[in-house]
Amino acid sequence: NAGVMQNPRHLVRRRGQEARLRCSPMKGHSHVYWYRQLPEEGLKFMVYLQKENIIDESGMPKERFSAEFPKEGPSILRIQQVVRGDSAAYFCASSPARRVGTDTQYFGPGTRLTVL
Amino acid sequence: AQSVTQPDIHITVSEGASLELRCNYSYGATPYLFWYVQSPGQGLQLLLKYFSGDTLVQGIKGFEAEFKRSQSSFNLRKPSVHWSDAAEYFCAVGASNFGNEKLTFGTGTRLTIIP
């Protein structure tokens, strides 16, 4: 059973460009979470999605950031008009179900975004 | 809102010595608690978790953690560390109610092992 997959692993963008980060959850998992890790800091929650639904986006910046998890295909975190402050590692996690006490989150290897 | 404090930013121990990493949480109800480990440039691997029941939980790689409600703590321990244990360790708390499934992480403790 393959783990959570993220691609690309490394992404370099110039200021003003768009960044698209992809996450394929573990097989059988229908819940996806995105976290951001700034240098020398812990992970900060950004958004929680189920298929075709955003459940909690309380950690998403109000502008330039969006996320989706379509019926088919991976979850996408999209950052428009990137700025240097967006440079970070972005981690995706997945869990099997929305059952309290059993929905352990399993993390992918992350995408390291560098904005020049 | 929940929060996690890891008071030790960096800990250095000798190989073979015992280890304890501290974690204190703040949450109004019964928390779900996790320890993850992150090697340089890698993702997070789950070491162990506490949901309910026995307050001493065993994890992978010889780690264990004890939930102490009275102290709001969930410290991670290992009796004898190996050089391969050098990594960053994160404590996290999850909510026990629907609608708040996100994890809140501490800032991490970096573990260095010396020969």
Side-chain angles (χ1 to χ4, degrees):
Chain A
N1 189 8
V4 178
M5 294 193 292
Q6 292 188 248
N7 67 80
R9 295 290 305 275
H10 299 273
L11 182 61
V12 179
R13 285 288 178 265
R14 296 191 180 279
R15 281 179 295 169
Q17 291 184 319
E18 178 180 286
R20 280 186 180 235
L21 289 62
R22 296 175 194 79
C23 169
S24 296
M26 287 178 69
K27 187 176 181 180
H29 287 194
S30 57
H31 300 252
V32 165
Y33 312 79
W34 285 94
Y35 293 83
R36 178 166 62 176
Q37 184 180 32
L38 294 170
E40 307 299 323
E41 293 187 15
L43 279 72
K44 296 284 198 286
F45 169 78
M46 298 181 75
V47 62
Y48 163 37
L49 310 104
Q50 294 178 35
K51 289 281 188 182
E52 299 184 282
N53 281 305
I54 296 175
I55 307 301
D56 181 355
E57 55 181 347
S58 58
M60 287 279 271
K62 299 298 182 200
E63 299 177 345
R64 304 188 296 108
F65 285 72
S66 62
E68 63 176 8
F69 189 16
K71 188 176 180 180
E72 301 291 337
S75 175
I76 306 286
L77 180 68
R78 182 182 177 203
I79 311 173
Q80 295 178 290
Q81 299 177 323
V82 295
V83 300
R84 289 217 174 108
D86 297 332
S87 296
Y90 292 83
F91 291 94
C92 169
S94 72
S95 66
R98 196 185 184 194
R99 284 188 301 171
V100 176
T102 63
D103 51 352
T104 297
Q105 296 179 25
Y106 296 89
F107 283 80
T111 293
R112 280 148 184 87
L113 172 65
T114 301
V115 179
L116 302 177
Chain B
Q2 60 259 40
S3 66
V4 176
T5 301
Q6 292 182 249
D8 303 307
I9 296 174
H10 188 196
I11 283 184
T12 300
V13 300
S14 299
E15 190 169 14
S18 63
L19 171 71
E20 182 169 29
L21 302 182
R22 295 183 290 166
C23 171
N24 293 96
Y25 69 90
S26 174
Y27 182 62
T30 300
Y32 295 138
L33 295 160
F34 306 82
W35 275 98
Y36 286 88
V37 60
Q38 183 182 32
S39 297
Q42 302 299 313
L44 277 74
Q45 181 181 23
L46 180 68
L47 283 176
L48 48 78
K49 60 188 179 185
Y50 171 77
F51 284 157
S52 64
D54 192 348
T55 57
L56 183 63
V57 294
Q58 303 297 321
I60 63 171
K61 303 184 179 185
F63 286 92
E64 67 177 26
E66 186 171 12
F67 171 57
K68 293 185 177 180
R69 184 187 299 275
S70 62
Q71 298 176 21
S72 298
S73 69
F74 189 57
N75 295 348
L76 182 71
R77 300 193 295 251
K78 185 170 184 177
S80 176
V81 298
H82 185 262
W83 64 267
S84 60
D85 293 325
E88 187 101 23
Y89 291 79
F90 291 97
C91 181
V93 63
S96 56
N97 58 300
F98 288 124
N100 193 18
E101 288 85 349
K102 63 188 177 189
L103 294 179
T104 299
F105 285 84
T107 51
T109 297
R110 182 169 299 171
L111 177 63
T112 298
I113 309 294
I114 55 176

